[in-house]
DNA sequence: GGGCGTCATTAACATTTGTTGGGCGACAAG
DNA sequence: CTTGTCGCCCAACAAATGTTAATGACGCCC
């Protein structure tokens, strides 16, 4: 492994360490996890519903999403994942997956055997606790999304999503909070917030017209963070970030 | 502790054991957890948003619910909890709670210190794994709820909720699947499925008229399980129950 | 450079869901 | 027994969102 090609699990170890301080040996054990790195094109399945995944997948770059298909063929996106996210702690301990995971863009992913991860979690309680915290944060985001689709109107939902994406991107050091690429079609945004693509379009245009955002294709510029956050009833509390960036609401 | 008053944590130990087999000492350690039992009247707060809970709370009897309040004063219920559920694994490891938990009926709850629970989880990996599984199942239910409010219409949402409640009640040995007491007002049901109480009423009446259910006050009788499950796009898969009752869809 | 497919945009119209407000019955408090 | 409150039920109307369909822009492949 050359210096131009750092160890692929470094970012993961740092992320866990930011939740719970890791001792030197614990950190080394994380880096020693067996894994294989794969590059996957956009639109490919990482996990399918009813699969019994034997590996857990860690995002190294790119974006992926979880989703479910409902009776009438509608699709609901349940989460968006980006670099550093553990994509399948959610399913690996179940007998079979209850939802799909698919790449949104081209992705580099590291596959780690479920059993190795499990052993590690119970050999180093610091690592176990950090991983547990990660799953709890996933849960917290799920809860916020329930509230978002259940009790907010179209404008609030979309504003909230734009804010969340911005904050999460910045937290991992990709893009500025107020100017980023959103790698999704309006139909996919609709599947996130429980709206049709037509209504997503109406609402995005309205946000632009009101001067809160400025979009061109996939790029989003947030012109007035305070107002957008207010419009989306957004607050970083539920993200439980290690240190709260004080600049944001 | 007399024989008429069994150890309050027995059910909890059994529940964990149904997920991951527990050795004799592991099981004993669960029962040895320090705890204090309290009876709480209906409508009381167990956890408030922004609290830093030092104790985790285990439901012994009764029903409680998690919820968030959004900008316009709307409320979204995020989960319903019943006997045997661990109410606050969700929050105890965070610096502060991101939502509220409140009793729905009178409840008996056992408060267990967070630190004891944490120590136990890392002393006995079987217990740790079982607890982890519990939180993953909570997450799975959250995901299903996102899909429910995001992509199903009123009839589907409510039918789905009625089915879920029925199956969960039966799983813990309370009430039959097709005839139970639902301890919620129609407004609270609305807060679960993201609808107004007026529309919940319309929809419940329609289910009755179509012969799928029969209700009087808080009692629900499911006349045609198959059809109700189909109407609600309901399937027990996401509940990840230890043994699937084959009688249900 | 031309052709093709995907995606954003818009409009007209349909449907679902929300809002308001009133009546009624069950239950609890006095 | 009376009264008040709460929750269920209902109807008329309002608003939000979905549906369908057409158009144009853009990027990609040959």
């Amino acid at each position: 492994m050359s210096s131009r090609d750092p160890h692929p699990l470094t970012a993961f170890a740092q992320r866990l360490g930011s939740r719970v301080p890791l001792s030197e040996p614990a950190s080394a054990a994380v880096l020693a996890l067996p894994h294989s790195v794969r590059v996957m094109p956009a639109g490919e399945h990482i996990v399918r519903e009813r699969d019994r995944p034997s590996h857990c997948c860690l995002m190294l770059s790119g974006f992926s999403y979880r989703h479910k298909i409902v009776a009438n063929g509608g699709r609901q996106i349940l989460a968006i994942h980006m670099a550093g996210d553990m994509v399948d702690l959610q399913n690996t301990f179940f007998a079979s997956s209850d939802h799909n995971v698919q790449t949104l863009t081209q992705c580099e992913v590291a596959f780690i055997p479920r059993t190795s991860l499990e052993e590690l979690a119970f050999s180093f309680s610091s690592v176990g606790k950090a991983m547990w915290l990660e799953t709890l944060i996933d849960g917290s985001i799920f809860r916020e999304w329930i509230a978002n689709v259940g009790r907010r109107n179209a404008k609030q939902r979309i504003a909230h999503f734009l804010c969340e994406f911005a904050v999460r991107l910045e937290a991992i050091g990709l893009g500025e909070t107020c100017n980023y690429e959103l790698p999704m079609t309006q139909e996919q945004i609709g599947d996130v917030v429980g709206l049709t693509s037509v209504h997503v379009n109406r609402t995005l245009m309205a946000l632009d017209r009101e001067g809160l955002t400025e979009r061109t294709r996939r790029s989003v510029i947030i012109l007035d963070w305070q107002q957008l956050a207010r419009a989306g009833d957004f607050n970083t509390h539920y993200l439980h970030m290690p240190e709260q960036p004080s600049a944001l609401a």
Side-chain angles (χ1 to χ4, degrees), chain A residues 103-136:
Chain A
T103 56
L104 200 51
T105 63
Q106 174 175 294
C107 292
E108 280 176 291
V109 292
F111 288 88
I112 303 173
R114 183 182 67 74
T115 48
S116 310
L117 214 53
E118 195 178 331
E119 275 165 31
L120 177 64
F122 289 106
S123 317
F124 293 92
S125 66
S126 55
V127 177
K129 192 171 170 192
M131 282 171 53
W132 196 343
L133 266 171
E134 286 288 327
T135 70
L136 289 179

Side-chain angles (χ1 to χ4, degrees), chain A residues 13-87:
Chain A
Q14 277 169 7
R15 168 112 157 220
L16 292 178
S18 78
R19 305 267 181 229
V20 179
L22 299 188
S23 67
E24 186 49 50
S27 193
V30 172
L31 295 178
L33 278 168
H35 62 277
S36 63
V37 175
R38 240 177 89 198
V39 176
M40 302 184 72
E44 192 146 319
H45 275 269
I46 298 180
V47 184
R48 269 181 214 280
E49 192 166 344
R50 306 271 168 188
D51 272 5
R52 164 67 220 243
S54 58
H55 288 68
C56 181
C57 146
L58 175 68
M59 301 285 300
L60 301 177
S61 72
F63 297 86
S64 64
Y65 65 108
R66 305 165 176 282
H67 70 276
K68 286 197 173 199
I69 305 294
V70 302
N72 38 322
R75 179 176 64 169
Q76 175 67 45
I77 293 181
L78 308 164
I80 305 289
H81 288 295
M82 40 186 79
D85 288 351
M86 208 53 179
V87 171

Side-chain angles (χ1 to χ4, degrees), chain A residues 76-77 80 145 149 161 184 187-195:
Chain A
Q76 175 67 45
I77 293 181
I80 305 289
W145 283 34
V149 291
F161 176 63
M184 305 175 71
E187 188 177 0
Q188 289 165 334
I189 297 173
D191 288 340
V192 165
V193 296
L195 298 167

Side-chain angles (χ1 to χ4, degrees), chain A residues 1-19:
Chain A
M1 203 146 294
S2 78
S3 64
R4 288 179 298 106
D5 184 19
H7 191 297
L9 302 186
T10 312
F12 180 51
Q14 277 169 7
R15 168 112 157 220
L16 292 178
S18 78
R19 305 267 181 229

